[in-house]
Amino acid sequence: MSETYRAIEKDLIEHFQAPPGSLTPHTTVDQADLDSLAMLELVTILEERHGVTLIDRPDHPRGDATMQQVADWVDRVISAEDPSGRSHRPHALPAGRAGA
C-alpha cells in the first residue's frame, strides 16, 4: 500500500468515522459511503496535506473508483504539479477538520 493510500485511510477513519479495518485498497468510494459532499471534504483535506489542486479536475475519481485508485490519482496529480520528482510527504492537518 502506498503512503498516500495509508493517509487516505487514516483520514476516513479520523474525519469520517469509517470503522477501523473496514477499508481496503479495493473498497470503492460508494462502498465507503462517501457522498459528493464527503468527497469534496476529503479532497480538500488532501489538497491541504499535499499542496496540490485537486478540486474541479476533470479526471477526478467517481463512485466506482477504489481507494487505491483515488490514492493513485492523487499521486499522479502530485507528480504532474511537481515534475522535479521530489517526494511529497503527508503532513499533519490542523485540529478541527471535518468530523474532528
Side-chain angles (χ1 to χ4, degrees):
M1 283 179 262
S2 72
E3 187 174 328
T4 303
Y5 168 81
R6 287 189 297 275
I8 290 171
E9 181 180 44
K10 182 179 176 190
D11 289 334
L12 291 173
I13 292 167
E14 291 181 3
H15 301 288
F16 298 93
Q17 291 75 48
S22 67
L23 302 170
T24 73
H26 303 289
T27 302
T28 66
V29 170
D30 288 339
Q31 290 168 334
D33 290 329
L34 295 176
D35 61 17
S36 58
L37 181 58
M39 265 308 277
L40 180 62
E41 290 179 48
L42 178 61
V43 165
T44 301
I45 290 168
L46 295 169
E47 285 184 329
E48 290 174 3
R49 172 177 293 119
H50 295 287
V52 295
T53 302
L54 300 169
I55 292 179
D56 295 330
R57 292 186 59 92
D59 61 339
H60 68 84
R62 307 282 187 228
D64 62 347
T66 66
M67 292 296 116
Q68 186 60 58
Q69 289 170 326
V70 174
D72 292 345
W73 172 70
V74 172
D75 288 338
R76 280 193 305 275
V77 172
I78 290 169
S79 293
E81 289 196 11
D82 185 3
S84 71
R86 288 181 301 156
S87 175
H88 288 254
R89 297 278 181 212
H91 55 63
L93 292 174
R97 284 296 312 149

